[in-house]
Amino acid sequence: MFTVQRKFSPCGKFCAYISQQGRFVVYNVETNVIHHVYTPNMHLNVPCTSFTWIQTKAKKKNKKSRSSLVEDTPDGQLLAAFGTRKGAVAFYSLATAKIVNTCQGNGHSASITAIYFNAENNPDKLYTAGADGKVCEWSISKATHLKTYNIGVEKLTCVLEHSGIILTGAKQLHVWDTQNEKLLRTLIGHTSNTQLLKLVPVDEEEIYVLSGSENDRHISLWLLCDNKKTSPVASFALDDVPEFLSPKLVGKKLHLVAVSRSGIAYYFVRDLQKLSMKKPYRANHTFEVAIDTVSAKMKAVDRLPIFVATVLYSPQQEQILLGYGTEMNVRFEQIDIDQETKLNLIIREPVKLLEGKSKDGELKSKTPEVDSSNVEYLNPANASRKNVKKVEIPMEVRLENLSTPKSSPKNMIHLLVQGLHSKDATLLKNVFAVEDSEMIQQTLGRLPAQYVSALLNELSLMMQMKTMHVKTAACWLKHLISIHASQLMALGSSNLTDNFATCVGIIEYRVQHLSSLSKLRGRLGLIIDQIDRSKNQANLEGDNENVLVYQEEYDSDADSMLEKEDTDQPESSNEELYEDDDEEEEMASATNTSQRRLQNGYTHKKSHDESMEVSD
């Protein structure tokens, strides 16, 4: 979601913002007119992504210093520091309406998402946050890069610095120590990317920070100095997502003005010594601007959205400065605050009247002139003859015909190019639904080189979705890199890193705990296998207990003893011995049969001596 950045100048005379086309628009608050519009060179490729105001102070010129921003511009001049998509920082002079200097040095490798300047704390330092997960420190007077802080791999959306502490915002807020370059703590409270950060310093020991995210309707207040507290100290509730914040301290009371996405201004007044997190605070006053549109039959009231609002530059404490209208036509006005009125509805005339109206308020109309010599009149003979119009098949029907499983790579590449060119989500969804690896490879082989960057942007958006979409995006990204490696290498290191910054950050975030999960999976597998083996062994033992086994063996020892006795006796008594042997064999067989039974898993076997005693 794109959010227009809006900021007042330090003197309050100008209000500027960066449009969605990358143009820098400056309004004069006093005269309600556009003071200047700056369009960067090649603004479609390298637009301004963020800016901040810088008020240079009068300094004595030093002859030894050759390259200095103060020498190139008049003393005490109002400048705007730009952050571009290429990761560079440039200084724009409002007086000369041109870029007066550009910071040198290796800074960001991706686009700059936020820029911060604090004249009271560090009047000569500038801090920028980028999509590459880095925070860079710049010198304003020397226009050079000083230091880089590697915060992480995720895309940073906002940055703030105070007394050696850097606060960065992404999906979570992180507090870093610039001296030790260590993470002090993580502030937990928002559910999406943080887009607003405002510093509220009370004194050296009590410093607060206001934050707002892109999908959260609450504004959180944090205590920056307390290194143990990770939750907000207070919360302010809005009816929509905040897009502009303007805090002001009056004694120990916080005066906060917030503008929501729906164009409503909320005014909060709270005592900092009586804050609580039991429930979010509601606004003391709300401001809405409406216009009257008069028609012939009915009278309706339409809302005129509020663009910016603040109490910093009001001549009286009981007034609020509102800027309402459209981006290209904003009107600024001081509004009195009625303490007894909570909902303030302001009725104003339309900011821009409808063109083409006459003095009476009716629309002007023109009757076309007809040349009677060239008029063709229809008669019964030629009335039935009509021009055959070309019937265009709707895109949905063509999509159903082409998105079948039997679609050829030619049809797929036409759908992909059409979806990338028109940014049609339905077309892209049906194209990315193809999971056939061979079909994807053939489709990307026919993709023109000029659409590689657009396809990378769409795959980066898919990588931020659920696992099912990430799987599809990873498959397409794998084939894209293998097929169009030469085109990607021709982009250069800076452009290549810029295009792959989001994908690389998401991949690193997803595989961060892969090794730990693999170890855990292996250990759980060993435990489960051991449990299964124990169960199988117990089942086998339980089955053997109920089995009746009969085993009959040949007693070789007894026979050998009998043969020995036969050899010792004389030959005359062989018949008697044979008779005795038959009786002994019958008795031994009956005894051995009863003794060699295996029942219930237990065997009782008599020794050879006992068997001999029985035989005797």
Side-chain angles (χ1 to χ4, degrees), residues 559-571 574 577-578 581:
D559 293 340
S560 62
M561 292 298 295
L562 292 173
E563 290 176 357
K564 185 177 182 180
E565 291 178 358
D566 292 339
T567 55
D568 294 339
Q569 293 181 1
E571 296 179 357
N574 286 339
L577 291 174
Y578 290 152
D581 291 340

Side-chain angles (χ1 to χ4, degrees), residues 522-534:
R523 293 175 181 176
L524 290 176
L526 292 175
I527 294 174
I528 292 173
D529 293 341
Q530 185 177 1
I531 293 174
D532 293 339
R533 287 196 299 269
S534 301

Side-chain angles (χ1 to χ4, degrees), residues 329-343:
N329 202 331
V330 182
R331 180 184 298 172
F332 296 90
E333 185 179 353
Q334 297 284 351
I335 304 297
D336 295 333
I337 301 174
D338 189 1
Q339 299 297 332
E340 298 180 357
T341 305
K342 184 177 181 180
L343 178 60

Side-chain angles (χ1 to χ4, degrees), residues 310 313-316 319-322 332-336:
T310 182
Y313 309 108
S314 300
Q316 299 180 5
Q319 288 183 346
I320 182 174
L321 176 62
L322 298 180
F332 296 90
E333 185 179 353
Q334 297 284 351
I335 304 297
D336 295 333

Side-chain angles (χ1 to χ4, degrees), residues 293-541:
T293 56
V294 181
S295 60
K297 297 182 180 180
M298 59 180 297
K299 183 177 181 180
V301 178
D302 293 337
R303 176 183 295 172
L304 195 60
I306 297 177
F307 193 67
V308 289
T310 182
V311 292
L312 291 174
Y313 309 108
S314 300
Q316 299 180 5
Q317 187 174 352
E318 293 79 11
Q319 288 183 346
I320 182 174
L321 176 62
L322 298 180
Y324 53 89
T326 59
E327 291 185 5
M328 298 308 297
N329 202 331
V330 182
R331 180 184 298 172
F332 296 90
E333 185 179 353
Q334 297 284 351
I335 304 297
D336 295 333
I337 301 174
D338 189 1
Q339 299 297 332
E340 298 180 357
T341 305
K342 184 177 181 180
L343 178 60
N344 297 271
L345 184 60
I346 305 167
I347 307 297
R348 291 293 182 266
E349 296 180 358
V351 175
K352 190 175 183 180
L353 297 176
L354 182 63
E355 296 181 357
K357 285 188 177 182
S358 62
K359 295 181 179 179
D360 299 334
E362 298 180 356
L363 290 174
K364 296 179 180 180
S365 61
K366 291 184 179 181
T367 303
E369 297 180 359
V370 179
D371 188 4
S372 58
S373 60
N374 296 327
V375 174
E376 181 182 359
Y377 295 95
L378 296 178
N379 51 38
N382 60 9
S384 60
R385 190 175 56 186
K386 297 181 180 179
N387 295 328
V388 179
K389 297 182 179 179
K390 295 181 179 180
V391 178
E392 293 185 359
I393 301 176
M395 183 61 67
E396 292 80 7
V397 178
R398 285 187 284 173
L399 183 62
E400 292 177 359
N401 296 332
L402 296 178
S403 61
T404 58
K406 298 181 181 180
S407 298
S408 63
K410 294 182 179 180
N411 297 334
M412 292 293 296
I413 190 59
H414 288 315
L415 286 175
L416 180 59
V417 172
Q418 181 68 22
L420 294 175
H421 184 74
S422 61
K423 296 182 179 180
D424 192 342
T426 305
L427 282 174
L428 295 175
K429 180 180 179 181
N430 286 272
V431 171
F432 292 143
V434 177
E435 298 181 355
D436 188 4
S437 179
E438 184 177 358
M439 180 70 70
I440 294 173
Q441 189 173 3
Q442 295 178 4
T443 302
L444 292 177
R446 300 172 180 267
L447 181 67
Q450 60 268 24
Y451 290 100
V452 173
S453 179
L455 181 59
L456 278 176
N457 295 333
E458 295 296 334
L459 294 178
S460 300
L461 295 176
M462 290 184 63
M463 293 286 288
Q464 304 176 21
M465 297 181 183
K466 296 182 179 180
T467 306
M468 177 180 63
H469 301 284
V470 174
K471 179 181 177 182
T472 304
C475 183
W476 280 80
L477 188 62
K478 175 184 176 182
H479 292 290
L480 180 65
I481 295 174
S482 61
I483 295 173
H484 295 276
S486 59
Q487 286 85 357
L488 294 175
M489 293 175 64
L491 295 176
S493 60
S494 61
N495 294 334
L496 188 63
T497 307
D498 188 10
N499 292 330
F500 282 94
T502 305
C503 294
V504 172
I506 295 173
I507 293 172
E508 291 293 337
Y509 177 76
R510 284 183 172 269
V511 302
Q512 184 178 5
H513 303 286
L514 182 60
S515 60
S516 301
L517 290 175
S518 300
K519 293 180 181 179
L520 180 60
R521 179 182 178 183
R523 293 175 181 176
L524 290 176
L526 292 175
I527 294 174
I528 292 173
D529 293 341
Q530 185 177 1
I531 293 174
D532 293 339
R533 287 196 299 269
S534 301
K535 289 182 179 180
N536 294 333
Q537 186 176 1
N539 293 332
L540 290 174
E541 292 178 356

Side-chain angles (χ1 to χ4, degrees), residues 76-144:
Q77 187 176 350
L78 183 62
L79 302 176
F82 290 153
T84 64
R85 186 172 292 180
K86 295 293 184 180
V89 176
F91 297 99
Y92 173 79
S93 175
L94 200 63
T96 60
K98 64 180 182 180
I99 299 293
V100 294
N101 209 342
T102 303
C103 288
Q104 304 295 328
N106 297 326
H108 294 279
S109 58
S111 62
I112 295 177
T113 56
I115 188 167
Y116 180 76
F117 171 72
N118 190 351
E120 297 180 359
N121 190 18
N122 291 319
D124 190 44
K125 290 184 180 180
L126 196 69
Y127 293 88
T128 57
D132 54 358
K134 298 179 181 179
V135 174
C136 293
E137 182 179 337
W138 309 82
S139 175
I140 299 175
S141 60
K142 298 179 182 180
T144 57

